[in-house]
Amino acid sequence: MGRIVVAGSINMDVVATADRHPAIGETVTGREVLYFPGGKGANQAVAAAKLGAATMLIGCTGADAFGRDTRAFLAMQGVDLAHVREVAGVGTGTAIITVANADNTIIVVPGANALVSAAEVAAPALRRGDVAVSQFEIPLPAIRAFFTRARAAGAITILNPAPAIPIDRELMALVDILILNESELGLLVGVELHETDPDARFVDAASTVQTDHRPNICITLGGRGVIALVDGEIHLEAARPVKAIDTTGAGDCFVGAVAAQLADGHSLQSAIGYANVAASLCVQRMGAGPSMPTAQEVSDALE
């Protein structure tokens, strides 16, 4: 079994729940404020670790209470923190999240995540069979250096380009699997996309991704499911009907689950189906990191 090596963000999520989201300039009364360890890198690492994969995280936290709490949580989930650096004089990354009717809005303050460097990602050894995962909550030069090393070692690379920003061809050339939602795909190809668009519109958009090679692409569409292009073939995975409580970590759960399955030798098509089930369990709980399911829970749901 290969290992999962995640280079990514570590945040504390400050979550306010309410009956509805405020309009611009409006104040609404909330229900409660909750604190959950999060950050896309940390969430994806936790998802993979709880599904049984040997998982290492590369990142930075501040030398503050949020940093201590997030590192303690990650260690309890079985994530290897040997390459998580504590930085004095800077705050741990923080996400301000509002949740209403299971939908969320998020503002991320990077903090120590902005200090993850190319030198940081060069420290851990990578080998063939490993899965290297990253997102866009750490600096692009670090991601590029990380994937360059992963490609040279023969590891599989997974990019989750969120929050959405333009991607240059140099970085895209290093990506084996691209996992993104409709808005991220729309930005990447310069087309406005909506979750309700027909399947063919997503397939056409994914087919126009400009790279020096053709990565496999998974488009996550929330309650609708997943559309994927795997080796040029269309793969559809319908969402499981569940009552969603909080969708904050669903995409990260999907990414971590795909990585865990690939590291265990499964095909990408099989990994997508498994990850779809894992994400359906995640959205039935509050929080991001703490909502990730265990391998046993996914196994039970598959029966």
Side-chain angles (χ1 to χ4, degrees):
M1 182 175 182
R3 301 168 306 157
I4 312 298
V5 183
V6 181
S9 57
I10 304 168
N11 293 335
M12 179 62 77
D13 293 347
V14 182
V15 182
T17 64
D19 291 332
R20 64 181 179 86
H21 294 288
I24 294 175
E26 182 188 20
T27 299
V28 300
T29 301
R31 291 181 174 273
E32 58 184 341
V33 176
L34 305 165
Y35 296 85
F36 298 110
K40 297 190 73 62
N43 293 341
Q44 292 168 14
V46 168
K50 291 185 71 172
L51 293 171
T55 305
M56 173 186 295
L57 179 60
I58 306 168
C60 295
T61 70
D64 54 12
F66 280 174
R68 290 190 294 274
D69 289 348
T70 53
R71 290 194 303 274
F73 170 77
L74 289 163
M76 287 178 61
Q77 311 311 307
V79 177
D80 181 344
L81 303 180
H83 296 283
V84 171
R85 178 166 61 101
E86 181 181 275
V87 184
V90 64
T92 297
T94 306
I96 311 300
I97 302 172
T98 60
V99 176
N101 297 318
D103 289 324
N104 60 68
T105 63
I106 307 174
I107 297 174
V108 176
V109 181
N113 295 313
L115 302 179
V116 178
S117 67
E120 221 104 42
V121 301
L126 291 165
R127 58 178 181 260
R128 182 172 298 278
D130 287 346
V131 181
V133 181
S134 198
Q135 332 73 30
F136 281 168
E137 289 184 341
I138 61 173
L140 288 178
I143 299 169
R144 192 177 294 109
F146 179 53
F147 280 178
T148 298
R149 290 189 63 244
R151 175 61 58 81
I156 299 168
T157 58
I158 299 178
L159 177 64
N160 173 220
I165 58 175
I167 311 173
D168 61 58
R169 290 180 71 103
E170 180 186 356
L171 176 56
M172 280 298 300
L174 299 169
V175 177
D176 294 318
I177 302 169
L178 195 64
I179 301 178
L180 70 180
N181 65 23
E182 73 281 358
S183 62
E184 292 150 4
L185 176 61
L187 177 69
L188 182 61
V189 300
V191 174
E192 187 173 346
L193 295 171
H194 303 281
E195 193 176 297
T196 54
D197 288 343
D199 292 354
R201 185 164 168 78
F202 292 109
V203 172
D204 289 345
S207 298
T208 66
V209 172
Q210 295 298 309
T211 65
D212 295 332
H213 74 118
R214 184 67 69 182
N216 293 312
I217 301 176
C218 300
I219 310 156
T220 56
L221 298 172
R224 179 169 162 182
V226 182
I227 299 174
L229 283 179
V230 180
D231 297 328
E233 298 293 325
I234 300 169
H235 178 82
L236 304 176
E237 195 75 41
R240 293 165 63 89
V242 299
K243 180 174 175 55
I245 302 298
D246 180 8
T247 60
T248 304
D252 295 332
C253 180
F254 185 90
V255 172
V258 167
Q261 288 289 287
L262 292 176
D264 199 28
H266 296 273
S267 69
L268 180 54
Q269 293 94 326
S270 172
I272 290 169
Y274 184 92
N276 190 48
V277 175
S280 76
L281 297 173
C282 170
V283 300
Q284 297 179 66
R285 306 164 180 169
M286 283 296 298
S291 70
M292 303 302 167
T294 64
Q296 186 60 55
E297 288 172 325
V298 178
S299 178
D300 292 344
L302 283 166
E303 291 180 354

